[in-house]
């Protein structure tokens, strides 16, 4: 065996005539981890060993315990169980078991390459999986491998190096002001009139609206506090915390929606008396005639019916949120305020989502600048300073 300097690894001649080089990666999970390379000559091994040492010093050499991607993903899913929403965990586990493990599950964690991840994504697209779903697969792998990198188990994040599919941006179709007025007239007298009013006036998400409790509503201060959202997973409806810290917010309610809420509360009291012992008190603002949570798809179905009967454009329920933001922005409300109303985590999300109103805002800005820079109109019979100076110069 030929000795090298401390930390430079060792090179030795094997009994089969081949040469091998070895470097020490330290102790991992109670076991000493090493990297070994082989070659037909000592010079070949020395070259490989030099490359390994360079990668180790640059932090690019994995010190992963021997495990497959499948085993690692299972442990990663268990580790995030209490840090994500239950529905997110269920969805992530479905993607892992249905789309990732069958193809890449037997690959060693520290041997996963960007090319393998890219091949998986491309294959899923060819199978007809929606681009958004393929992006979700890449996102799961990227998050899981980020932790593996932090632990020193992989040298690079193979998912981050793979290219996501191009996602065509869905066109937002919000109500304009005239359509918004027509919609509010159309929902008058509907059982969910207040729900639609609040959705359009505050931009709350459908789950946030259906998760509102009366204790979250302050009629006197004209505010609602978003503390929960109604979400379906595991075959049942659940009250869950808002999706982000910024989603947990207090939103001011316009008078038009406050009046709708007051009328809605009176009707709900009538429903409660009519239901008698069958009423199940949940404290919900929007509920069935028995007091139980409203199934989101039923609220959407009712919304679609109203649109059809009123002859309004067929938009999604979520487009009421987009309509709220668009109407606010075109009325000159600061994007920062709109961001806070919607509960967006970053103002860039607000501006990127509502870039369709940018041209209108730019025109308004140009009009205001014109008012600042245009010279004042001269009184009748008088000349502005520039014209007077020109005549004086001509006379001279």
């Amino acid at each position: 065996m030929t000795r090298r300097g401390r930390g430079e690894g060792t090179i030795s001649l094997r009994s089969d005539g081949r040469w091998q080089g070895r470097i020490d990666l330290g102790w991992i999970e109670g076991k000493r981890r090493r990297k070994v390379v082989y070659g037909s000559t000592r010079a070949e091994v020395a070259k490989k060993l030099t490359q390994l040492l360079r990668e180790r010093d640059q932090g690019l050499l994995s010190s992963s315990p021997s495990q497959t991607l499948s085993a690692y993903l299972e442990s990663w899913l268990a580790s995030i169980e209490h840090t994500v929403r239950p529905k997110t965990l269920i969805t992530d586990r479905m993607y892992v078991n249905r789309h990732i493990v069958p193809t890449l599950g037997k690959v060693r964690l520290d041997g996963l390459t960007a090319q393998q991840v890219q091949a998986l994504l491309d294959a899923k697209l060819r199978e007809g999986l929606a681009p958004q779903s393929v992006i979700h697969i890449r996102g799961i792998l990227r998050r899981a491998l980020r932790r593996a990198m932090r632990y020193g188990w992989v040298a690079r994040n193979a998912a981050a190096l793979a290219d996501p599919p191009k996602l065509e941006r869905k066109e937002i179709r919000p109500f304009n002001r005239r359509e918004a007025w027509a919609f509010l007239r159309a929902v008058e007298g509907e059982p969910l009139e207040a729900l639609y009013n609040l959705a359009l006036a505050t931009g709350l998400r459908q789950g946030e609206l259906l998760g509102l409790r009366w204790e979250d509503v302050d009629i006197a201060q004209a505010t609602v506090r978003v503390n929960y959202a109604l979400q379906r997973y595991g075959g049942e409806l659940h009250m869950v915390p808002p999706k982000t810290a910024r989603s947990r917010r207090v939103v001011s309610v316009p008078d038009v929606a406050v009046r709708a809420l007051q009328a809605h509360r009176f009707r709900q009291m009538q429903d409660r008396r009519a239901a008698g012992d069958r009423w199940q008190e949940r404290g919900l603002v929007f509920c069935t005639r028995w007091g139980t949570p409203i199934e989101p798809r039923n609220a959407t179905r009712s919304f679609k019916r109203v649109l059809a009967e009123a002859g309004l454009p067929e938009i999604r329920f979520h487009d009421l949120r987009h309509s709220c933001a668009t109407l606010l922005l075109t009325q000159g409300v600061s994007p920062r305020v709109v961001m806070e109303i919607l509960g967006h985590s970053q103002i860039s999300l607000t501006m990127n989502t509502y870039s369709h109103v940018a041209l209108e805002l730019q025109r308004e800005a140009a009009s205001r600048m014109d008012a600042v820079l245009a010279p004042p109109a001269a009184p009748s019979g008088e000349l502005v300073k520039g014209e007077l100076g020109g005549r004086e110069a001509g006379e001279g």
Side-chain angles (χ1 to χ4, degrees), residues 276-315:
D277 293 339
R278 291 174 294 179
W279 181 264
Q280 301 180 39
E281 183 56 57
R282 307 286 183 87
L284 294 170
V285 175
F286 303 110
C287 57
T288 67
R289 58 179 176 169
W290 313 117
T292 55
I294 294 176
E295 180 68 49
R297 62 173 174 264
N298 290 340
T300 299
R301 187 180 299 117
S302 174
F303 170 68
K304 294 289 187 180
R305 175 185 55 78
V306 170
L307 294 181
E309 292 177 355
L312 287 165
E314 185 177 349
I315 64 174

Side-chain angles (χ1 to χ4, degrees), residues 11 13 17-20 38-47:
I11 297 178
L13 182 63
R18 290 191 304 159
W19 290 85
Q20 79 171 21
Y38 301 95
S40 56
T41 66
R42 189 183 190 286
E44 180 185 352
V45 169
K47 185 177 180 180

